[in-house]
Amino acid sequence: MNNESEMPRFEEPDGLDPEMLNLDWEEIDPEGLRDTPPPDLSSMSTQALYDFSISNYVHRGRAVFELLDRAPSDDSAARLVSELAKSPLLREDRMHRASMTWAVIARLLAAETPVSRSCAYEVFGSLSPGEQDEVLSWLRASRIEDAHPEN
């Protein structure tokens, strides 16, 4: 996107798309799930967090980040969250251009354990070459092995 005309344009000063501001949340979420409080994730087992991440779209992000918080000291958490990161659930969950998968890669790299870095490399390898280039640019690294983001 070198041409300025190709860049997305936002009319709202906070950068939100006006169509998003006008969504009818009662139609999208009639049960009000988005307003439910999350369970105490810190008391859940690693497997329970993984299962919760697959089944609960409302609090998925919280559960994924709880797994990432455990990754430096729990190899099974690193392995499970890397499996999640390869799924469409996280690949398609985007905040602007970065996906939850990118966040998982960064946090696994930042955990700086052999298992967490190996998992990050595996998730990175599952991306398309174009997306790999975007992730490297986002991480400000020329190779994934050279990326050492702070936690």
Side-chain angles (χ1 to χ4, degrees), residues 11 13 17 29 38 55 63 84 100 108 126 137 147:
E11 300 302 320
D17 184 339
D29 183 21
S55 65
L84 283 171
M100 283 288 288
L108 287 172
S126 73
S137 174

Side-chain angles (χ1 to χ4, degrees), residues 97-117:
R97 96 177 180 181
S99 70
M100 283 288 288
T101 294
W102 294 17
V104 168
I105 291 169
R107 290 284 304 272
L108 287 172
L109 291 169
E112 292 289 352
T113 70
V115 169
S116 68
R117 288 194 66 89

Side-chain angles (χ1 to χ4, degrees), residues 51-97:
D51 295 339
F52 184 78
S53 296
I54 291 171
S55 65
N56 190 305
Y57 74 92
V58 175
H59 300 294
R60 176 177 297 129
R62 292 175 191 238
V64 168
F65 282 104
E66 178 67 28
L67 284 168
L68 287 167
D69 286 345
R70 296 179 186 188
S73 60
D74 183 347
D75 290 346
S76 66
R79 288 185 185 101
L80 287 174
V81 79
S82 72
E83 288 304 312
L84 283 171
K86 291 183 268 183
S87 75
L89 291 173
L90 281 119
R91 283 207 165 149
E92 296 168 5
D93 189 351
R94 292 190 177 269
M95 184 65 152
H96 300 291
R97 96 177 180 181

